[in-house]
């Protein structure tokens, strides 16, 4: 079965403004995110990508544009099932404000029970994304062979939930996983089991440098902004 390369979109204006973007329209890459996207073709230069699938949201479309420019033989496929979680009434709000919402404790400690007001549950988010991957695995294998490599450009919570699915982890443990903007995660699927072969690889260790204010123990909903 194929190997899936999961790319989180580059840093966005919502990331730097501390907003939970969700499906809010017009959320673009910021200057750093655009630079991250521009570096993506070089980072993936040795991989023979069979297909490119992307979330319909602008920040993902902008992230893969340099890669598509470098590989004009590839046409992107848009799949709404790997779009961001539908955060409903939380969309567009500041994460600092959401910290005090009672639901945030559920999102952090028991995400399988979390459903966003006016949006979807985290279980539904994981289910649709995992179904998309399984269908694309079958399609890529059928069209390109069992050893094919393909790429999906998606979002932090989506990628974390797919990693949890691949590892057989309960969704309640997915907040222990971290994927920074424009990081690369790779899952090799086989008949018996998936293998996680890369997780949140940015090629940059800046985010590991101790900060003046240590990061909080909570996982950032949506995935966070990455290294400062």
């Amino acid at each position: 079965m194929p190997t899936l390369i999961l790319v989180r979109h580059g840093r966005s204006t919502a990331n730097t403004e501390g907003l939970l973007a969700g499906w809010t329209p017009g959320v673009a890459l910021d200057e750093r995110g655009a630079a991250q996207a521009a570096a993506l073709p070089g980072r993936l230069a040795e991989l023979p990508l069979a297909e490119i699938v992307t979330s319909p949201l602008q920040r993902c479309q902008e992230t893969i544009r340099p890669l598509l420019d470098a590989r004009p033989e590839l046409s992107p496929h848009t799949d709404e099932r790997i779009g961001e979680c539908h955060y409903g009434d939380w969309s567009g709000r500041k994460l600092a404000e959401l910290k005090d919402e009672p639901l945030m404790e559920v999102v952090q400690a028991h995400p399988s029970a979390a459903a966003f007001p006016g949006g979807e549950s985290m279980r539904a988010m994981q289910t649709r994304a995992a179904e998309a991957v399984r269908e694309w695995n079958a399609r890529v294998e059928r069209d390109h062979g069992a050893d094919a490599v393909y790429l999906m450009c998606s979002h932090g919570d989506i990628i974390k939930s797919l990693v949890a699915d691949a590892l057989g982890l309960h969704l309640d443990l997915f907040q222990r996983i971290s994927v920074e903007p424009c990081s690369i995660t790779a899952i090799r699927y086989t008949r018996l089991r998936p293998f996680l072969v890369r997780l949140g690889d940015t090629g940059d260790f800046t985010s590991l440098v101790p900060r003046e204010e240590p990061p909080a123990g909570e996982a950032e909903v949506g995935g966070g902004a990455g290294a400062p």
Side-chain angles (χ1 to χ4, degrees):
M1 295 178 68
T3 295
L4 170 60
I5 307 298
L6 289 161
V7 176
R8 185 184 168 200
H9 62 78
R11 196 174 75 175
S12 72
T13 53
N15 292 145
T16 48
E17 293 170 9
L19 299 176
L20 185 61
W23 285 69
T24 305
V27 177
L29 299 183
D30 67 6
E31 184 176 351
R32 179 170 181 171
Q36 291 170 332
L40 198 56
R43 294 170 63 197
L44 298 173
E46 296 183 12
L47 290 181
L49 297 176
E51 301 282 0
I52 293 179
V53 188
T54 181
S55 156
L57 295 173
Q58 179 179 339
R59 51 198 183 273
C60 286
Q61 303 276 340
E62 291 181 356
T63 297
I64 63 162
R65 178 50 52 192
L67 182 60
L68 292 169
D69 290 344
R71 303 198 187 197
E73 73 280 6
L74 292 174
S75 298
H77 304 273
T78 298
D79 194 325
E80 292 196 357
R81 294 174 297 176
I82 63 166
E84 181 62 283
C85 185
H86 291 276
Y87 296 117
D89 298 344
W90 279 26
S91 300
R93 293 181 59 187
K94 284 193 170 292
L95 288 164
E97 297 173 359
L98 293 170
K99 282 195 313 182
D100 298 326
E101 294 279 354
L103 178 60
M104 183 59 85
E105 185 177 2
V106 182
V107 170
Q108 292 293 325
H110 190 20
S112 66
F116 296 97
E120 70 178 334
S121 69
M122 302 199 92
R123 292 192 318 278
M125 173 200 74
Q126 183 187 43
T127 297
R128 63 172 163 87
E131 287 177 350
V133 167
R134 284 167 174 76
E135 288 181 19
W136 276 102
N137 282 348
R139 177 173 173 176
V140 170
E141 181 173 6
R142 181 196 69 206
D143 295 344
H144 302 283
D147 295 327
V149 179
Y150 75 106
L151 180 146
M152 283 185 168
C153 185
S154 189
H155 306 266
D157 281 349
I158 294 287
I159 294 173
K160 288 163 57 178
S161 74
L162 289 172
V163 170
D165 177 76
L167 292 176
L169 293 178
H170 197 283
L171 185 60
D172 286 347
L173 301 178
F174 101 127
Q175 297 291 27
R176 302 182 183 196
I177 299 165
S178 175
V179 288
E180 293 194 0
C182 224
S183 62
I184 293 172
T185 294
I187 302 171
R188 180 176 296 122
Y189 289 88
T190 74
R191 186 173 61 87
L192 294 181
R193 64 183 62 84
F195 291 90
L196 179 65
V197 292
R198 292 287 188 281
L199 176 61
D201 187 347
T202 63
D204 179 2
F205 296 103
T206 306
S207 63
L208 302 180
V209 175
R211 305 181 191 179
E212 291 184 10
E213 293 186 12
E218 291 80 13
E220 292 191 61
V221 183

